[in-house]
């Protein structure tokens, strides 16, 4: 049962056809991350305009289905959002995975909520949480926000 | 061999994983432990424990004797010439670090070369990398061929007058290639170059005989030999131990301590600073006994049978790409699968109670060369049977279902 | 505290030594282990064992969580600020070697001074001696006074602009002197000098609080804290761990490995190369729990009572010469006896089931200063009672009989 | 019982009043040894004359009763003996302690045999064997004969 929770349709779809792959045009922020245990890699590209809105957002990377889907969903969700909102979503997302809380932001569309929630199955697979969170941490890193240690055990 | 009976000696198999029997195919990572080894550790703490080599009371004498008995046991098992050639360490990683540091300090200078291969585990590369940084030495990598082996000619080609040590694995923990250590030692001897063998994967699966192999250093991790974690062995030829400087400093490894100088004890004590892992050392005797009772040749025959059966079955699976195809091989099968990342394979297999490992297996250089960032690895121990392979293959098929491919 | 009950939790006391109940007065050498600690180790191997931090299957996840839970447990017990400040090592000896090597490599140059004391165990001297040899650094020894203490003024006097680190024991394992660590740290901080505390004898007997002590490094041996052998802890302030180079190289401590370079992981992983002592780390949680359940303050009160009772009784014995008389002291009583060498005392006491240690206790410099080559040492653990002291004293009287004096 | 075997009258006597202590006159060989575990030290002085006879033999040192008595008995026993005989006695003595064999040499006086045998009680105290053997090894060392490692665990 749980496996189905982990590998939901939405996830498989994003993993097989990741959105926003490649370097986005005119990016002015980027950051890389890497999980030395499994070899997952992600590189985030981000165009933050003068009003602090994420105008463009994309990624390059390789890894498991969870990490690819997570990066893909992330780019879809955050594109067009402003900075403070971005941080709030990321924080909500990370909490969902590590503390099993729900996404509470109400300005996301139902569709977006459903998509993000598809990653909540990872909660039950502690060794995979990093796969799902790496890209999100990397956005913070691209924005020069404090991040946890990558390459470390997860907490 | 009666695998059912052997398996029943390992308590870990009593439990279910996700409601299924445990199929443990991660022994190259760490082997499970037989009950007698676990019991010996507990029992030692319960009835014989004391610090070793320091006090003269009854418990201390007993503990010291047990500890030194284990050294004899190891000496005999690996057919070393002298008991002083057996040094207990924290693991193969520490054994290799010890030699890289101690041999390197004394014998390696700027421009000298360390000859190793593209197959090595990080434990047999990073200690040499430190030397490269500290001393300005060079590391030469004998290339791996498309079968996942390193050819002896490549090693021959790279040996030159600057080569100061050859550091090479006994069995690759990714391709399973068994290296022709004896031939390499013969080559090296012509030029008086010492050979360090990373025996971490060799020792659990092959008959290892130091007199026959002739290598100068051999590193072992006891936890992959049905023994306790946190314990390793360094075999080093007496001629080296007598000249190498100590590695860590502390209690027990000294002869005389003055304010302006320290004189060190001889080997093996010189290399065993501080309080040792007494219970682990003592219990490792039981691991050797376990292996001896079954016979390492029988273990090898059994494991090879399972290995070949596994390779055969996986080769028939169109979605599977086997990594490496060495002529002489042992104990591990690495593979990738079209459309499913190794990490996902490992998670899906776990659902069926099948434990494998996914990643670069601490061999990033090899994976870079192969052009892949990760592989899935099934590795064999004495407790595995053909049934395990069948369950593995079924679980692999399930990956396709989960991924709808 | 109900010592009888506590003692009954240690299986070693079930046996007889030379037909007599075991009186274990060698805890400063290594403590005995309570049954729950032994059971946890066995039980972990039996039901949860797998390698840590490497695979993603169920057993690996469980083992990794247990392992990291232990890190949290240690962090909380010693009141460190961050869990990353806890590094697992082989023992206090390795903890100190790690810092001497890693800090020394980066921060100590020719002519720099390492400030230590005449009280130190070889484990807190020889690693610095290595630096002296490799880097041309100097070691300064704060002298011990006739009470067996090192006075803070002596330390103050020796600090100068060349002092690069202060390495000092928390409790002397010979005189029992408890050093004023907090004051030393305050002194050192004025000059921005890091302080390494050898907490091997401190951690089992005192409440240790990293935030309060304020030291930069603190070394612990788990086997003296009712925990498994072969395991130690290095506490290091985050600001150091982030800048110190790695110590041993191997699996698990890397971020990226290339043929021409290696990028290391952050702490604590950076300092935990190779397969760790998983079962020992996991079981050490139980040792801390054992101590917490009794309460370290209660343990200390109890031990001090036994200590004082022992000192009182021995002081009344004309043949006994007590070594050191520090104002603040803990856990050990060292003595000599007119006409009977410590080694002979230990043998004769053993006949009565009394286990003590004889020798220089890895403190040769201190013994040289005292002008004696060996002392006898009785050391106290939580399981000791006044009865033990009475039996000790009787056994000491027996020495005179055997030696006909 | 065993303790009485270990600390026999003869041993206590030699320990309390060691014979041949100090530097003997005209010594032309000497060697030191030291047990780092307990701090026992011995320094052997030896005058080997032109006919390869041990003309003088003495020791300095400190240590437990066993090590002092052993050194004292050793000097008493070997003084005046020739080289090959010396080696034979030493070998016999070491075997007595490590293999529990008997002293077989018949050219020693009964008194001397009794004295040497008084050290046989050490057999039952493995951690003390080194105390009893150190001086004997050191004579070999002074004579430039091959010796075991000092400062090592005993076998
Ligand atoms: C004060 C002191 N420091 C260091 C050590 C070394 O500890 P370990 O041998 O456990 O590494 C000891 C133990 O004997 C000690 O008493
Ligand atoms: C080939 C090889 N070398 C070295 C090691 C390191 O062994 P350990 O982690 O036990 O020190 C391993 C284990 O993963 C290995 O497979």
């Amino acid at each position: 049962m749980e496996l189905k929770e982990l590998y939901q349709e939405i996830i498989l779809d994003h993993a097989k056809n990741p959105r926003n792959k490649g370097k986005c045009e005119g990016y002015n922020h980027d950051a890389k991350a890497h999980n030395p245990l499994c070899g997952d890699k992600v590189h985030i590209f981000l165009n933050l305009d003068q009003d602090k809105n994420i105008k463009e957002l994309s990624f390059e990377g390789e890894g498991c289905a969870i990490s690819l889907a997570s990066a893909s969903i992330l780019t879809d969700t955050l594109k067009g959002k402003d900075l403070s909102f971005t941080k709030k979503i990321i924080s909500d997302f990370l909490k969902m995975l590590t503390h099993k809380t729900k996404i509470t932001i109400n300005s996301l569309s139902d569709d977006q909520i459903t998509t993000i929630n598809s990653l909540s199955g990872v909660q039950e697979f502690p060794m995979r949480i990093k796969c799902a969170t790496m890209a999100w941490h990397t956005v913070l890193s691209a924005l020069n926000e404090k991040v946890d240690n990558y390459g470390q055990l997860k907490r | 061999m009666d695998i059912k009976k052997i398996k029943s000696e390992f308590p870990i198999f009593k439990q279910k994983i996700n409601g299924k029997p445990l199929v443990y195919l991660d022994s190259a990572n760490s082997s499970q432990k037989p009950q007698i080894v676990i019991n010996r550790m507990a029992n030692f703490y319960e009835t014989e424990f004391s610090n070793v080599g320091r006090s003269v009371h009854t418990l201390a004498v007993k503990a010291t004797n047990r500890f030194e008995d284990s050294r004899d046991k190891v000496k005999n098992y690996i057919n070393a010439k002298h008991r002083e050639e057996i040094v207990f360490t924290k693991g193969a990683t520490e054994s290799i670090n010890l030699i890289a540091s101690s041999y390197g300090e004394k014998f390696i200078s700027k421009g000298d070369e360390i000859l190793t291969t593209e197959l090595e585990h990080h434990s047999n590369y990073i200690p040499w990398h430190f030397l490269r940084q500290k001393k300005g030495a060079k590391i030469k990598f004998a290339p791996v061929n498309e079968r996942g082996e390193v050819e002896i000619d490549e090693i021959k080609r790279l040996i030159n007058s600057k080569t100061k040590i050859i550091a090479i694995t006994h069995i690759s923990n990714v391709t399973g290639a068994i290296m022709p250590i004896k031939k390499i030692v013969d080559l090296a001897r012509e030029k008086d170059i010492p050979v360090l063998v990373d025996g971490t994967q060799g020792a659990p699966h092959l008959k290892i005989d130091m007199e026959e192999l002739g290598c100068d250093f051999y590193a072992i991790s006891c936890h992959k030999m049905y023994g306790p974690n946190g314990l390793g062995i360094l075999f080093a030829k007496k001629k080296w131990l007598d000249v190498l400087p100590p590695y860590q400093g502390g209690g027990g490894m000294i002869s005389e301590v003055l304010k302006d100088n320290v004189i060190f004890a001889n080997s093996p004590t010189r290399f065993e600073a501080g309080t040792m892992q007494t219970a682990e050392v003592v219990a490792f005797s039981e691991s050797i006994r376990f292996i001896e009772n079954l016979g390492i040749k029988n273990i090898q025959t059994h494991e090879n049978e399972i290995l070949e059966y596994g390779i055969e079955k996986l080769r028939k699976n169109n979605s599977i790409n086997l990594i490496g195809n060495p002529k002489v091989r042992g104990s591990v099968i690495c593979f990738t699968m079209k459309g499913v990342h190794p990490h996902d394979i490992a998670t899906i297999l776990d659902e069926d109670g099948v434990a494998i490992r996914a990643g670069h297996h601490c061999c990033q250089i090899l994976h870079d060369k192969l052009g892949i960032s990760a592989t899935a690895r099934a590795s064999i121990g004495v407790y595995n049977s053909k049934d395990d392979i069948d369950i593995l293959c079924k679980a692999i098929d399930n990956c396709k279902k989960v991924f709808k491919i």
Side-chain angles (χ1 to χ4, degrees), chain B residues 77-295:
Chain B
Y77 183 71
I78 71 172
N79 195 26
K81 208 167 185 169
H82 308 281
R83 66 189 314 280
E84 290 82 8
E85 295 178 328
I86 309 301
V87 176
F88 289 112
T89 65
K90 192 161 79 169
T93 298
E94 180 166 280
S95 301
I96 300 171
N97 275 274
L98 192 164
I99 292 303
S101 165
S102 188
Y103 176 87
E105 184 183 324
K106 186 145 176 176
F107 293 105
I108 291 183
S109 320
K110 199 171 155 73
D112 283 346
E113 293 183 6
I114 295 145
L115 176 49
T116 182
T117 82
E118 290 177 343
L119 276 180
E120 304 308 315
H121 189 280
H122 294 160
S123 290
N124 197 21
Y125 166 51
I126 299 175
W128 308 110
H129 168 72
F130 288 159
L131 267 187
R132 177 165 64 188
Q133 288 193 310
K134 273 181 209 159
K135 293 274 197 149
K138 288 190 184 133
I139 302 179
K140 289 285 168 79
F141 297 88
V144 68
N145 68 17
E146 76 288 345
R147 279 194 310 277
E149 304 158 335
V150 173
E151 289 164 35
I152 183 113
D153 284 350
E154 296 287 356
I155 290 169
K156 200 165 184 172
R157 200 172 51 78
L158 287 168
I159 292 180
N160 63 42
S161 63
K162 299 204 152 172
T163 313
K164 284 285 152 26
I165 191 164
I166 300 176
I168 200 157
T169 194
H170 201 166
I171 305 189
S172 160
N173 64 322
V174 174
T175 69
I178 300 181
M179 296 295 298
I181 300 298
K182 241 189 100 130
K183 283 190 192 150
I184 295 167
V185 169
D186 286 344
L187 270 182
R189 220 175 246 167
E190 285 171 25
K191 314 253 171 172
D192 251 340
I193 304 165
V195 176
L196 175 142
V197 178
D198 174 357
T200 318
Q201 296 297 339
H205 303 292
L206 305 176
K207 178 164 169 28
I208 45 169
D209 181 322
M210 292 305 117
E211 284 289 290
E212 198 191 311
L213 277 181
C215 59
D216 298 82
F217 308 111
Y218 196 94
I220 292 175
S221 270
C222 299
H223 70 95
K224 307 203 197 222
M225 284 180 80
Y226 313 110
N229 276 43
L231 180 67
I233 288 158
L234 168 66
F235 160 83
K237 272 196 185 153
K238 201 164 179 332
K239 70 166 182 181
W240 290 115
L241 286 179
D242 288 347
V243 299
L244 291 180
Y247 176 55
Q248 297 187 331
M253 47 76 80
I254 56 98
S255 166
E256 181 114 35
V257 177
L258 304 167
K259 268 190 175 175
D260 55 358
N261 199 19
V262 179
I263 299 159
F264 301 104
N266 290 327
S267 72
T269 321
R270 171 187 302 201
F271 297 101
E272 295 178 350
T275 299
M276 298 293 287
Q277 318 89 308
T278 324
E280 284 70 21
V281 169
V282 170
F284 188 58
S285 268
E286 294 301 326
S287 306
I288 294 182
R289 205 161 285 138
F290 170 79
I291 293 173
E292 282 177 337
N293 284 346
L294 296 175

Side-chain angles (χ1 to χ4, degrees), chain A residues 122-137:
Chain A
V122 180
Q123 289 165 356
E124 306 301 327
F125 295 82
M127 293 303 262
R128 307 302 303 277
I129 289 176
K130 211 161 147 191
C131 308
T133 57
M134 189 161 73
W136 301 69
H137 279 293

Side-chain angles (χ1 to χ4, degrees), chain A residues 38-135:
Chain A
C38 59
D40 284 0
K41 281 179 192 153
V42 69
H43 192 163
I44 294 282
F45 303 91
L46 190 152
N47 180 326
L48 196 67
D49 69 14
Q50 289 180 332
D51 305 332
K52 303 270 180 202
N53 290 320
I54 295 181
K55 218 172 115 188
E56 287 296 334
L57 179 57
S58 69
F59 81 101
E60 287 180 345
E62 48 183 313
C64 61
I66 306 299
S67 74
L68 287 180
S70 172
S72 173
I73 290 170
L74 159 111
T75 53
D76 253 9
T77 312
L78 297 182
K79 219 191 316 189
K81 301 293 184 288
D82 71 26
L83 201 57
S84 72
F85 192 61
T86 295
K87 285 192 240 166
K88 176 128 190 33
I89 300 181
I90 294 178
S91 152
D92 251 41
F93 175 78
L94 295 177
K95 262 198 227 139
M96 173 177 85
L97 289 192
T98 52
H99 293 80
K100 309 200 181 183
T101 53
K102 284 217 181 337
I103 300 284
T104 53
I105 297 169
N106 41 27
S107 49
L108 288 172
S109 72
D110 281 3
D111 234 37
Q112 283 179 316
I113 296 267
T114 311
T115 306
I116 290 188
N117 275 337
S118 71
L119 282 161
S120 65
V122 180
Q123 289 165 356
E124 306 301 327
F125 295 82
M127 293 303 262
R128 307 302 303 277
I129 289 176
K130 211 161 147 191
C131 308
T133 57
M134 189 161 73

Side-chain angles (χ1 to χ4, degrees), chain B residues 323-339:
Chain B
I323 306 295
N325 184 25
K327 288 180 203 153
V328 198
R329 77 185 285 175
S331 69
V332 300
I333 313 177
C334 264
F335 60 93
T336 56
M337 190 174 182
K338 272 182 218 115

